[in-house]
PDB file of all heavy atoms in Angstrom:
ATOM      1  N   MET A   1     -11.700 -35.753  76.991  1.00 51.00           N
ATOM      2  CA  MET A   1     -12.822 -36.374  76.291  1.00 51.00           C
ATOM      3  C   MET A   1     -12.248 -37.217  75.041  1.00 51.00           C
ATOM      4  O   MET A   1     -11.311 -36.881  74.368  1.00 51.00           O
ATOM      5  CB  MET A   1     -13.696 -35.284  75.714  1.00 51.00           C
ATOM      6  CG  MET A   1     -15.037 -35.836  75.235  1.00 51.00           C
ATOM      7  SD  MET A   1     -15.874 -34.682  74.230  1.00 51.00           S
ATOM      8  CE  MET A   1     -15.753 -33.127  75.145  1.00 51.00           C
ATOM      9  N   GLN A   4     -14.619 -38.027  69.122  1.00 82.00           N
ATOM     10  CA  GLN A   4     -16.029 -38.189  68.636  1.00 82.00           C
ATOM     11  C   GLN A   4     -15.888 -38.197  67.062  1.00 82.00           C
ATOM     12  O   GLN A   4     -15.280 -37.404  66.428  1.00 82.00           O
ATOM     13  CB  GLN A   4     -16.881 -36.976  68.996  1.00 82.00           C
ATOM     14  CG  GLN A   4     -17.379 -37.033  70.436  1.00 82.00           C
ATOM     15  CD  GLN A   4     -18.154 -35.824  70.750  1.00 82.00           C
ATOM     16  OE1 GLN A   4     -18.799 -35.789  71.830  1.00 82.00           O
ATOM     17  NE2 GLN A   4     -18.132 -34.757  69.908  1.00 82.00           N
ATOM     18  N   THR A   5     -16.531 -39.218  66.463  1.00 79.00           N
ATOM     19  CA  THR A   5     -16.522 -39.348  65.029  1.00 79.00           C
ATOM     20  C   THR A   5     -17.276 -38.162  64.384  1.00 79.00           C
ATOM     21  O   THR A   5     -16.869 -37.712  63.289  1.00 79.00           O
ATOM     22  CB  THR A   5     -17.118 -40.658  64.584  1.00 79.00           C
ATOM     23  OG1 THR A   5     -18.274 -40.879  65.347  1.00 79.00           O
ATOM     24  CG2 THR A   5     -16.136 -41.766  64.752  1.00 79.00           C
ATOM     25  N   LYS A  39     -25.923 -44.043  64.336  1.00 96.00           N
ATOM     26  CA  LYS A  39     -27.006 -44.957  64.525  1.00 96.00           C
ATOM     27  C   LYS A  39     -27.913 -44.496  65.612  1.00 96.00           C
ATOM     28  O   LYS A  39     -27.480 -43.691  66.472  1.00 96.00           O
ATOM     29  CB  LYS A  39     -26.450 -46.383  64.830  1.00 96.00           C
ATOM     30  CG  LYS A  39     -25.589 -46.979  63.714  1.00 96.00           C
ATOM     31  CD  LYS A  39     -26.476 -47.256  62.466  1.00 96.00           C
ATOM     32  CE  LYS A  39     -25.586 -47.713  61.331  1.00 96.00           C
ATOM     33  NZ  LYS A  39     -26.309 -48.012  60.102  1.00 96.00           N
ATOM     34  N   SER A  41     -28.944 -45.797  68.379  1.00 94.00           N
ATOM     35  CA  SER A  41     -28.477 -46.013  69.737  1.00 94.00           C
ATOM     36  C   SER A  41     -27.330 -45.045  70.029  1.00 94.00           C
ATOM     37  O   SER A  41     -27.216 -44.601  71.223  1.00 94.00           O
ATOM     38  CB  SER A  41     -28.006 -47.436  69.924  1.00 94.00           C
ATOM     39  OG  SER A  41     -27.293 -47.911  68.699  1.00 94.00           O
ATOM     40  N   SER A  42     -26.550 -44.621  69.030  1.00 95.00           N
ATOM     41  CA  SER A  42     -25.561 -43.669  69.249  1.00 95.00           C
ATOM     42  C   SER A  42     -26.133 -42.269  69.506  1.00 95.00           C
ATOM     43  O   SER A  42     -25.586 -41.502  70.352  1.00 95.00           O
ATOM     44  CB  SER A  42     -24.604 -43.612  68.075  1.00 95.00           C
ATOM     45  OG  SER A  42     -24.119 -44.849  67.801  1.00 95.00           O
ATOM     46  N   HIS A  45     -26.789 -42.075  72.955  1.00 95.00           N
ATOM     47  CA  HIS A  45     -25.588 -41.850  73.729  1.00 95.00           C
ATOM     48  C   HIS A  45     -25.284 -40.349  73.839  1.00 95.00           C
ATOM     49  O   HIS A  45     -24.967 -39.875  74.958  1.00 95.00           O
ATOM     50  CB  HIS A  45     -24.391 -42.584  73.129  1.00 95.00           C
ATOM     51  CG  HIS A  45     -23.068 -42.350  73.894  1.00 95.00           C
ATOM     52  ND1 HIS A  45     -22.857 -42.844  75.159  1.00 95.00           N
ATOM     53  CD2 HIS A  45     -21.967 -41.667  73.547  1.00 95.00           C
ATOM     54  CE1 HIS A  45     -21.673 -42.460  75.549  1.00 95.00           C
ATOM     55  NE2 HIS A  45     -21.158 -41.726  74.615  1.00 95.00           N
ATOM     56  N   ARG A  46     -25.440 -39.619  72.764  1.00 95.00           N
ATOM     57  CA  ARG A  46     -25.163 -38.205  72.774  1.00 95.00           C
ATOM     58  C   ARG A  46     -26.266 -37.408  73.404  1.00 95.00           C
ATOM     59  O   ARG A  46     -26.033 -36.400  74.050  1.00 95.00           O
ATOM     60  CB  ARG A  46     -25.033 -37.730  71.305  1.00 95.00           C
ATOM     61  CG  ARG A  46     -23.847 -38.264  70.578  1.00 95.00           C
ATOM     62  CD  ARG A  46     -22.543 -37.749  71.100  1.00 95.00           C
ATOM     63  NE  ARG A  46     -21.456 -37.957  70.119  1.00 95.00           N
ATOM     64  CZ  ARG A  46     -21.104 -37.023  69.224  1.00 95.00           C
ATOM     65  NH1 ARG A  46     -21.683 -35.860  69.203  1.00 95.00           N
ATOM     66  NH2 ARG A  46     -20.186 -37.276  68.352  1.00 95.00           N
TER      67      ARG A  46
ATOM     68  P    DT D   8     -16.573 -40.504  80.939  1.00 91.13           P
ATOM     69  OP1  DT D   8     -16.471 -39.108  81.231  1.00 91.13           O
ATOM     70  OP2  DT D   8     -17.695 -41.391  81.392  1.00 91.13           O
ATOM     71  O5'  DT D   8     -16.549 -40.653  79.338  1.00 91.13           O
ATOM     72  C5'  DT D   8     -15.423 -40.210  78.602  1.00 91.13           C
ATOM     73  C4'  DT D   8     -15.471 -40.784  77.201  1.00 91.13           C
ATOM     74  O4'  DT D   8     -15.362 -42.234  77.307  1.00 91.13           O
ATOM     75  C3'  DT D   8     -16.740 -40.526  76.416  1.00 91.13           C
ATOM     76  O3'  DT D   8     -16.400 -39.726  75.329  1.00 91.13           O
ATOM     77  C2'  DT D   8     -17.271 -41.866  76.043  1.00 91.13           C
ATOM     78  C1'  DT D   8     -15.969 -42.782  76.159  1.00 91.13           C
ATOM     79  N1   DT D   8     -16.241 -44.224  76.493  1.00 91.13           N
ATOM     80  C2   DT D   8     -15.860 -45.169  75.616  1.00 91.13           C
ATOM     81  O2   DT D   8     -15.348 -44.908  74.532  1.00 91.13           O
ATOM     82  N3   DT D   8     -16.155 -46.479  76.021  1.00 91.13           N
ATOM     83  C4   DT D   8     -16.764 -46.902  77.149  1.00 91.13           C
ATOM     84  O4   DT D   8     -16.939 -48.072  77.370  1.00 91.13           O
ATOM     85  C5   DT D   8     -17.165 -45.806  78.082  1.00 91.13           C
ATOM     86  C7   DT D   8     -17.833 -46.120  79.351  1.00 91.13           C
ATOM     87  C6   DT D   8     -16.888 -44.570  77.673  1.00 91.13           C
ATOM     88  P    DA D   9     -17.598 -39.108  74.386  1.00 91.13           P
ATOM     89  OP1  DA D   9     -17.076 -37.855  73.796  1.00 91.13           O
ATOM     90  OP2  DA D   9     -18.828 -39.120  75.178  1.00 91.13           O
ATOM     91  O5'  DA D   9     -17.726 -40.191  73.205  1.00 91.13           O
ATOM     92  C5'  DA D   9     -16.607 -40.437  72.377  1.00 91.13           C
ATOM     93  C4'  DA D   9     -16.971 -41.542  71.315  1.00 91.13           C
ATOM     94  O4'  DA D   9     -17.052 -42.814  72.126  1.00 91.13           O
ATOM     95  C3'  DA D   9     -18.343 -41.363  70.705  1.00 91.13           C
ATOM     96  O3'  DA D   9     -18.107 -41.323  69.256  1.00 91.13           O
ATOM     97  C2'  DA D   9     -19.191 -42.512  71.170  1.00 91.13           C
ATOM     98  C1'  DA D   9     -18.131 -43.586  71.623  1.00 91.13           C
ATOM     99  N9   DA D   9     -18.549 -44.462  72.699  1.00 91.13           N
ATOM    100  C8   DA D   9     -19.142 -44.107  73.869  1.00 91.13           C
ATOM    101  N7   DA D   9     -19.423 -45.148  74.684  1.00 91.13           N
ATOM    102  C5   DA D   9     -18.957 -46.230  73.886  1.00 91.13           C
ATOM    103  C6   DA D   9     -19.043 -47.605  74.225  1.00 91.13           C
ATOM    104  N6   DA D   9     -19.433 -48.138  75.358  1.00 91.13           N
ATOM    105  N1   DA D   9     -18.475 -48.391  73.306  1.00 91.13           N
ATOM    106  C2   DA D   9     -18.031 -47.919  72.160  1.00 91.13           C
ATOM    107  N3   DA D   9     -17.927 -46.636  71.769  1.00 91.13           N
ATOM    108  C4   DA D   9     -18.477 -45.821  72.723  1.00 91.13           C
ATOM    109  P    DC D  10     -19.424 -41.076  68.364  1.00 91.13           P
ATOM    110  OP1  DC D  10     -18.841 -40.501  67.115  1.00 91.13           O
ATOM    111  OP2  DC D  10     -20.489 -40.363  69.199  1.00 91.13           O
ATOM    112  O5'  DC D  10     -19.976 -42.531  68.081  1.00 91.13           O
ATOM    113  C5'  DC D  10     -19.089 -43.468  67.352  1.00 91.13           C
ATOM    114  C4'  DC D  10     -19.583 -44.831  67.457  1.00 91.13           C
ATOM    115  O4'  DC D  10     -19.766 -45.154  68.912  1.00 91.13           O
ATOM    116  C3'  DC D  10     -20.879 -45.179  66.876  1.00 91.13           C
ATOM    117  O3'  DC D  10     -20.689 -45.598  65.599  1.00 91.13           O
ATOM    118  C2'  DC D  10     -21.571 -46.219  67.824  1.00 91.13           C
ATOM    119  C1'  DC D  10     -20.499 -46.341  68.910  1.00 91.13           C
ATOM    120  N1   DC D  10     -21.076 -46.524  70.275  1.00 91.13           N
ATOM    121  C2   DC D  10     -21.165 -47.851  70.791  1.00 91.13           C
ATOM    122  O2   DC D  10     -20.800 -48.795  70.128  1.00 91.13           O
ATOM    123  N3   DC D  10     -21.751 -48.004  72.007  1.00 91.13           N
ATOM    124  C4   DC D  10     -22.195 -46.976  72.750  1.00 91.13           C
ATOM    125  N4   DC D  10     -22.701 -47.157  73.930  1.00 91.13           N
ATOM    126  C5   DC D  10     -22.032 -45.680  72.230  1.00 91.13           C
ATOM    127  C6   DC D  10     -21.508 -45.436  71.022  1.00 91.13           C
ATOM    128  P    DC D  11     -21.935 -45.796  64.564  1.00 91.13           P
ATOM    129  OP1  DC D  11     -21.402 -45.710  63.185  1.00 91.13           O
ATOM    130  OP2  DC D  11     -22.977 -44.871  64.984  1.00 91.13           O
ATOM    131  O5'  DC D  11     -22.438 -47.244  64.855  1.00 91.13           O
ATOM    132  C5'  DC D  11     -21.479 -48.280  64.824  1.00 91.13           C
ATOM    133  C4'  DC D  11     -22.155 -49.594  65.378  1.00 91.13           C
ATOM    134  O4'  DC D  11     -22.359 -49.426  66.765  1.00 91.13           O
ATOM    135  C3'  DC D  11     -23.466 -49.953  64.781  1.00 91.13           C
ATOM    136  O3'  DC D  11     -23.402 -51.203  64.142  1.00 91.13           O
ATOM    137  C2'  DC D  11     -24.462 -50.063  65.988  1.00 91.13           C
ATOM    138  C1'  DC D  11     -23.440 -50.238  67.148  1.00 91.13           C
ATOM    139  N1   DC D  11     -23.986 -49.726  68.451  1.00 91.13           N
ATOM    140  C2   DC D  11     -24.286 -50.617  69.507  1.00 91.13           C
ATOM    141  O2   DC D  11     -24.162 -51.800  69.321  1.00 91.13           O
ATOM    142  N3   DC D  11     -24.689 -50.116  70.688  1.00 91.13           N
ATOM    143  C4   DC D  11     -24.877 -48.856  70.848  1.00 91.13           C
ATOM    144  N4   DC D  11     -25.232 -48.414  72.057  1.00 91.13           N
ATOM    145  C5   DC D  11     -24.573 -47.894  69.880  1.00 91.13           C
ATOM    146  C6   DC D  11     -24.122 -48.364  68.667  1.00 91.13           C
ATOM    147  P    DG D  12     -24.439 -51.620  63.046  1.00 91.13           P
ATOM    148  OP1  DG D  12     -23.744 -52.162  61.875  1.00 91.13           O
ATOM    149  OP2  DG D  12     -25.481 -50.591  62.913  1.00 91.13           O
ATOM    150  O5'  DG D  12     -25.147 -52.928  63.746  1.00 91.13           O
ATOM    151  C5'  DG D  12     -24.327 -53.914  64.328  1.00 91.13           C
ATOM    152  C4'  DG D  12     -25.179 -54.948  64.977  1.00 91.13           C
ATOM    153  O4'  DG D  12     -25.509 -54.462  66.273  1.00 91.13           O
ATOM    154  C3'  DG D  12     -26.484 -55.387  64.325  1.00 91.13           C
ATOM    155  O3'  DG D  12     -26.628 -56.746  64.382  1.00 91.13           O
ATOM    156  C2'  DG D  12     -27.555 -54.507  65.033  1.00 91.13           C
ATOM    157  C1'  DG D  12     -26.944 -54.383  66.452  1.00 91.13           C
ATOM    158  N9   DG D  12     -27.253 -53.118  67.078  1.00 91.13           N
ATOM    159  C8   DG D  12     -27.272 -51.855  66.480  1.00 91.13           C
ATOM    160  N7   DG D  12     -27.502 -50.923  67.327  1.00 91.13           N
ATOM    161  C5   DG D  12     -27.678 -51.503  68.534  1.00 91.13           C
ATOM    162  C6   DG D  12     -28.050 -51.035  69.793  1.00 91.13           C
ATOM    163  O6   DG D  12     -28.270 -49.822  70.099  1.00 91.13           O
ATOM    164  N1   DG D  12     -28.158 -52.047  70.777  1.00 91.13           N
ATOM    165  C2   DG D  12     -27.910 -53.389  70.543  1.00 91.13           C
ATOM    166  N2   DG D  12     -28.069 -54.185  71.634  1.00 91.13           N
ATOM    167  N3   DG D  12     -27.650 -53.896  69.367  1.00 91.13           N
ATOM    168  C4   DG D  12     -27.508 -52.932  68.397  1.00 91.13           C
ATOM    169  P    DA D  13     -27.961 -57.443  63.857  1.00 91.13           P
ATOM    170  OP1  DA D  13     -27.620 -58.779  63.403  1.00 91.13           O
ATOM    171  OP2  DA D  13     -28.616 -56.481  62.917  1.00 91.13           O
ATOM    172  O5'  DA D  13     -28.864 -57.566  65.150  1.00 91.13           O
ATOM    173  C5'  DA D  13     -28.295 -58.016  66.352  1.00 91.13           C
ATOM    174  C4'  DA D  13     -29.327 -57.984  67.456  1.00 91.13           C
ATOM    175  O4'  DA D  13     -29.426 -56.616  68.017  1.00 91.13           O
ATOM    176  C3'  DA D  13     -30.724 -58.362  67.019  1.00 91.13           C
ATOM    177  O3'  DA D  13     -31.298 -59.267  67.965  1.00 91.13           O
ATOM    178  C2'  DA D  13     -31.526 -57.071  66.916  1.00 91.13           C
ATOM    179  C1'  DA D  13     -30.824 -56.226  68.069  1.00 91.13           C
ATOM    180  N9   DA D  13     -30.891 -54.801  67.947  1.00 91.13           N
ATOM    181  C8   DA D  13     -30.767 -54.066  66.811  1.00 91.13           C
ATOM    182  N7   DA D  13     -30.897 -52.737  67.017  1.00 91.13           N
ATOM    183  C5   DA D  13     -31.110 -52.645  68.385  1.00 91.13           C
ATOM    184  C6   DA D  13     -31.333 -51.551  69.238  1.00 91.13           C
ATOM    185  N6   DA D  13     -31.338 -50.285  68.825  1.00 91.13           N
ATOM    186  N1   DA D  13     -31.498 -51.790  70.482  1.00 91.13           N
ATOM    187  C2   DA D  13     -31.450 -53.052  70.948  1.00 91.13           C
ATOM    188  N3   DA D  13     -31.288 -54.210  70.289  1.00 91.13           N
ATOM    189  C4   DA D  13     -31.090 -53.896  69.012  1.00 91.13           C
ATOM    190  P    DA D  14     -32.668 -60.062  67.695  1.00 91.13           P
ATOM    191  OP1  DA D  14     -32.433 -61.436  68.060  1.00 91.13           O
ATOM    192  OP2  DA D  14     -33.056 -59.766  66.327  1.00 91.13           O
ATOM    193  O5'  DA D  14     -33.694 -59.399  68.719  1.00 91.13           O
ATOM    194  C5'  DA D  14     -33.449 -59.592  70.076  1.00 91.13           C
ATOM    195  C4'  DA D  14     -34.052 -58.427  70.857  1.00 91.13           C
ATOM    196  O4'  DA D  14     -33.631 -57.166  70.232  1.00 91.13           O
ATOM    197  C3'  DA D  14     -35.583 -58.332  70.871  1.00 91.13           C
ATOM    198  O3'  DA D  14     -36.034 -58.869  72.163  1.00 91.13           O
ATOM    199  C2'  DA D  14     -35.926 -56.901  70.662  1.00 91.13           C
ATOM    200  C1'  DA D  14     -34.578 -56.155  70.574  1.00 91.13           C
ATOM    201  N9   DA D  14     -34.554 -55.101  69.661  1.00 91.13           N
ATOM    202  C8   DA D  14     -34.444 -55.115  68.330  1.00 91.13           C
ATOM    203  N7   DA D  14     -34.449 -53.937  67.739  1.00 91.13           N
ATOM    204  C5   DA D  14     -34.525 -53.064  68.845  1.00 91.13           C
ATOM    205  C6   DA D  14     -34.637 -51.624  68.847  1.00 91.13           C
ATOM    206  N6   DA D  14     -34.581 -50.856  67.797  1.00 91.13           N
ATOM    207  N1   DA D  14     -34.747 -51.112  70.053  1.00 91.13           N
ATOM    208  C2   DA D  14     -34.816 -51.926  71.171  1.00 91.13           C
ATOM    209  N3   DA D  14     -34.759 -53.241  71.208  1.00 91.13           N
ATOM    210  C4   DA D  14     -34.632 -53.725  70.063  1.00 91.13           C
TER     211       DA D  14
END
Side-chain angles (χ1 to χ4, degrees):
Chain A
M1 193 197 313
Q4 282 176 171
T5 43
K39 299 292 177 181
S41 40
S42 305
H45 176 69
R46 298 287 200 95

